Amino acid sequence: MTNSLRRSWLVAGALAALPMFSWAQSWPARPIRVVVSYPAGGVSDVVARALGDKLTAQLGQPIIVENKAGAGGAIGLDQVAKSQPDGYTLGFSSISPLALSPHLGKLPFDPAKDLMPVASVMYSPVLLLGTKRSTAKDFGQLIAQARQEPGSVRWATAGLASLGHIMLEQIAYSAKAEITHIPYKGGGQQLNDGLSAQFEVLSTNAGPAVLQHIKSGSFHPLAVGAPKRLASLPNVPTLGELGYAPANLSSLFGIFAPAGTPAAIVGRLNAEINKALAQPDLQAKLAATDNVATGGKAADFARQIAEESQGNARIIRAANIKLD
């Protein structure tokens, strides 16, 4: 899923511009459903609802958010892929189901043929956190334990084929350590179980609840996947600084539509999403939790997905990562 993926999306967009142009001009005429590929309560859900409020005001129609979690985001996007391409069903997800999952197993949809990127929404750092069950005071101690006591470090992620999973596997491969993977169906239950110390560490996107739990001492940060250290956690090193550059990954989230959605609608959505993301209050809400509003053209978003897909493929081949 590389250049061919991007070409498929561009061709689909061009073909979608031909039919139903006059009908697309009257869009939207009724409520729009946004399928969030993760459970309620997580950062993606919070951001999707905040963005939905902005779009409701801008478009004059209600944005109805529906959570459909599982398979690292693939279940939610599968529902979008199988929906009518009329602009009334959209998906909000990280790009992992398109840029990561296809390299680890078969999906119930074809990312190149069944979905269209509409707009990039945000970039979200990934935090590696120790729970109260963990005795490791820093990342080095965590790796030392994983080497000395194989399997004793249990690492919870948002699910199989999630970004946290690829980070875990890459770190385990590079460190020559055995780490036990605990996959969830998203971030909400994962956080709850982390608070009750049912495992040693978890990886999760930055968000209001996560930062509050760090401040309260319920979690202690060990590392972050991000281009640079976070302003809110200046003493926490990036995985790149720690010598794990291939695992120094962060999440890119965006809006997707079923393939065949008229280009006029995709263009209108892209413009409205960019308008919403440019508003200072929404940017401030994201920045307060170390998430960064992105935006941009749909074609650029498609290119980012293709490039990350290529990078993930290299990591997976090098580390010989496979799903059980």
Side-chain angles (χ1 to χ4, degrees), residues 86-228:
D86 54 12
Y88 291 103
T89 300
L90 306 171
F92 182 77
S93 173
S94 80
I95 67 172
S96 292
L98 292 83
L100 173 58
S101 300
H103 302 296
L104 293 169
K106 188 175 181 180
L107 290 172
F109 61 91
D110 186 332
K113 296 179 180 179
D114 299 336
L115 288 169
M116 297 174 65
V118 174
S120 171
V121 171
M122 73 173 184
Y123 137 81
S124 183
V126 178
L127 296 169
L128 178 59
L129 306 173
T131 72
K132 290 186 176 180
R133 184 176 287 271
S134 174
T135 59
K137 295 181 179 178
D138 56 33
F139 184 81
Q141 289 185 8
L142 183 77
I143 295 302
Q145 178 186 340
R147 287 171 173 159
Q148 294 165 10
E149 304 172 46
S152 65
V153 172
R154 294 169 295 175
W155 178 333
T157 75
L160 293 169
S162 67
L163 193 66
H165 183 200
I166 199 82
M167 293 170 72
L168 180 162
E169 297 289 358
Q170 177 62 31
I171 289 170
Y173 169 77
S174 299
K176 296 180 173 56
E178 184 179 322
I179 300 172
T180 301
H181 183 209
I182 309 294
Y184 280 78
K185 291 184 178 181
Q189 189 60 47
Q190 175 197 22
L191 284 178
N192 289 336
D193 288 355
L195 291 171
S196 59
Q198 295 189 30
F199 40 74
E200 285 68 33
V201 296
L202 69 152
S203 51
T204 185
N205 292 104
V210 174
L211 294 179
Q212 186 59 43
H213 292 317
I214 291 173
K215 290 177 181 178
S216 71
S218 298
F219 297 137
H220 56 278
L222 302 170
V224 60
K228 61 181 181 180

Side-chain angles (χ1 to χ4, degrees), residues 30-57:
R30 54 187 171 86
I32 299 167
R33 181 176 59 140
V34 175
V35 179
V36 178
S37 294
Y38 309 98
V43 63
S44 56
D45 179 62
V46 171
V47 172
R49 292 177 188 277
L51 179 61
D53 289 342
K54 294 290 185 184
L55 294 177
T56 293

